[in-house]
Amino acid sequence: MKTLSPFSVKETNSFNVESIAPRAYFPKTIDDLVELANLSLSNFYILGEGFNTLFVKETTPIIIKPEFKGIEIQEHEHCTIVKAAASENWHSFVGFCIEKRINGLENLALIPGSVGAAPVQNIGAYGVELADYCQEVLWFDFKTKKTMVYKHVDCQFDYRESIFKNSLKNKGLIISVTFCFPKAWQANLSYAGLEHLAPSVSAKKVMDEVIKVRQAKLPDPHLLPNAGSFFKNPVIDGEQWEMLTAEYPDMPSYPQGDGKVKVAAGWLIEKTGLKGYQDKGVGVHEKQALVLVNYNAEQGKYIVDLAIHITNKVKSVFNIDLEPEVRMVFPQGEKNLVEYKNG
Ligand SMILES: Cc1cc2nc3c(=O)[nH]c(=O)nc-3n(C[C@H](O)[C@H](O)[C@H](O)COP(=O)(O)OP(=O)(O)OC[C@H]3O[C@@H](n4cnc5c(N)ncnc54)[C@H](O)[C@@H]3O)c2cc1C
């Protein structure tokens, strides 16, 4: 198995910060994964393409960067089954499917990153989530040293959540993802920015439109390092929502059907006056308050400091806790903001 010691993550994280791992492993066969499991590593981080990862300090744990490639297609009467390996690029995979007239993922075009990371936070955009089409996930378990299949129901998909991000974190890794695309397809145009398209529009046209809107709205991480939405949209209870809308009638809100309401994290940040705020080489994007950008900081700790500043402000104005969507990696492994603040 390919191994590098030491390994700089600078080229493989979209915040473009420097951090050094003592070693990096690049498994690309099941034998490689067994070899890796035999090492019984206790502190490591599985890295896809690093578009949702913030390396916070000068050093980082051992990196495991899977290199599983390949796409297989199986035609059935009513659906097309497509299995994509973890290290395929997500956007290229979406383009590949649409080119072959396998429709369904067009709303998820241009989401940066790998196929293997997509189920971890159940990526979503423009009214569609990975969970809508994910049939199963092929997993390698480090303890049993065997592969196993997680069917859709076992994946515990939710808004930016899955079992892979929670109870299975660091217990193994995703080798491939299998999708089921029904042949009866209808464009999903429910989301703002797509409603002007005719219901008979092709999936290719929807994909092109999504790409156009995303390019206009979001800063390109290759030009201005960022990881997309830094925070999840918080879900609050109905009582708090009523109190807040009495004061802020223009607050964007999305009822969740269980009495709870999802509110827009970007709007909350903007209302605290932090849109465009900059300090120590990092800042809140001037057009998209949900996106934190690295202008010229060498290290991720300045982004974390900014994230804490933002969460404190939002808490004091709205009494809402913002939770990062971005994975934060410290020398001891992944930590969330609360764990970091508590030392
Ligand atoms: C400009 C921009 C726009 C974005 N827009 C969206 C959006 O619209 N919707 C959305 O949902 N996200 C969005 N994101 C976030 C990001 O694109 C996704 O989270 C994507 O899935 C990250 O893929 P990655 O390979 O870079 O993951 P990484 O950052 O490398 O890893 C993310 C997580 O997945 C885990 N992981 C990676 N590979 C594996 C594997 N094989 N097995 C097990 N665990 C693994 C990592 O350990 C980590 O916890 C955006 C990011 C950017 C920079």
Side-chain angles (χ1 to χ4, degrees):
M1 169 175 37
K2 187 171 122 193
T3 308
L4 290 175
S5 314
F7 176 70
S8 159
V9 298
K10 176 112 168 138
E11 303 302 320
T12 48
N13 74 92
S14 63
F15 275 117
N16 194 31
V17 292
E18 178 60 297
S19 189
I20 306 288
R23 203 157 39 261
Y25 296 99
F26 301 84
K28 59 176 178 186
T29 63
I30 303 294
D31 284 349
D32 287 347
L33 292 177
V34 173
E35 189 186 330
L36 208 46
N38 285 337
L39 297 173
S40 303
L41 300 172
S42 57
N43 187 21
F44 58 88
Y45 182 73
I46 299 166
L47 183 62
E49 295 185 20
F51 282 95
N52 205 30
T53 297
L54 174 60
F55 294 102
V56 182
K57 302 274 179 160
E58 298 90 335
T59 59
T60 194
I62 286 173
I63 295 291
I64 298 175
K65 194 163 176 7
E67 287 190 342
F68 289 84
K69 292 284 197 170
I71 301 176
E72 292 164 25
I73 303 176
Q74 264 180 31
E75 291 295 345
H76 294 259
E77 190 184 347
H78 297 296
C79 69
T80 308
I81 304 290
V82 186
K83 182 176 181 179
S87 312
E88 292 292 334
N89 174 266
W90 176 262
H91 176 65
S92 306
F93 171 61
V94 173
F96 170 89
C97 290
I98 301 304
E99 195 147 301
K100 295 217 163 332
R101 298 183 189 274
I102 303 170
N103 301 340
L105 297 181
E106 53 284 345
N107 295 44
L108 301 180
L110 215 63
I111 296 183
S114 59
V115 167
V120 176
Q121 71 153 8
N122 181 22
I123 58 167
Y126 294 91
V128 175
E129 287 181 340
L130 170 118
D132 297 336
Y133 294 99
C134 177
Q135 185 179 56
E136 61 188 39
V137 169
L138 182 63
W139 174 258
F140 180 83
D141 184 87
F142 288 141
K143 198 164 166 202
T144 61
K145 302 175 192 170
K146 288 196 164 57
T147 57
M148 59 186 288
V149 169
Y150 279 86
K151 294 278 179 201
H152 181 284
V153 285
D154 305 322
C155 293
Q156 298 174 11
F157 289 127
D158 203 342
Y159 166 64
R160 298 295 179 273
E161 288 294 342
S162 74
I163 191 170
F164 310 107
K165 195 172 158 180
N166 294 294
S167 59
L168 287 182
K169 192 166 87 179
N170 287 352
K171 302 250 165 73
L173 62 74
I174 293 169
I175 298 171
S176 66
V177 185
T178 301
F179 299 85
C180 171
F181 300 106
K183 293 204 169 157
W185 169 83
Q186 177 71 55
N188 183 336
L189 306 174
S190 56
Y191 219 77
L194 302 179
E195 331 88 316
H196 64 286
L197 296 172
S200 59
V201 67
S202 69
K204 168 82 169 69
K205 174 78 183 136
V206 176
M207 180 174 87
D208 291 345
E209 199 64 22
V210 167
I211 292 174
K212 206 165 93 190
V213 179
R214 288 185 70 101
Q215 282 175 336
K217 274 173 63 174
L218 289 169
D220 179 348
H222 298 107
L223 304 175
L224 191 52
N226 74 84
S229 306
F230 195 91
F231 298 100
K232 287 166 67 171
N233 288 321
V235 176
I236 59 176
D237 63 40
E239 206 177 313
Q240 185 180 15
W241 177 76
E242 274 173 28
M243 275 166 50
L244 285 172
T245 40
E247 199 175 338
Y248 305 99
D250 59 333
M251 182 170 77
S253 315
Y254 312 92
Q256 298 298 287
D258 55 359
K260 297 196 168 177
V261 183
K262 191 191 279 176
V263 294
W267 184 90
L268 298 173
I269 297 168
E270 194 173 338
K271 277 283 161 184
T272 66
L274 285 175
K275 196 174 180 179
Y277 172 86
Q278 285 188 31
D279 190 28
K280 300 196 176 80
V282 301
V284 180
H285 192 254
E286 53 193 13
K287 291 199 195 123
Q288 262 296 347
L290 197 47
V291 177
L292 306 192
V293 293
N294 180 12
Y295 293 103
N296 52 31
E298 267 299 303
Q299 273 176 28
K301 68 177 178 191
Y302 299 111
I303 310 258
V304 179
D305 290 345
L306 175 61
I308 290 173
H309 182 57
I310 293 169
T311 52
N312 288 345
K313 271 265 190 178
V314 168
K315 179 77 176 170
S316 72
V317 177
F318 298 101
N319 194 25
I320 292 178
D321 290 306
L322 288 184
E323 187 194 330
E325 182 181 310
V326 170
R327 320 309 303 159
M328 293 180 292
V329 188
F330 295 79
Q332 310 77 9
E334 231 183 297
K335 279 189 196 175
N336 61 35
L337 266 194
V338 176
E339 289 165 337
Y340 175 60
K341 281 199 243 177
N342 294 340

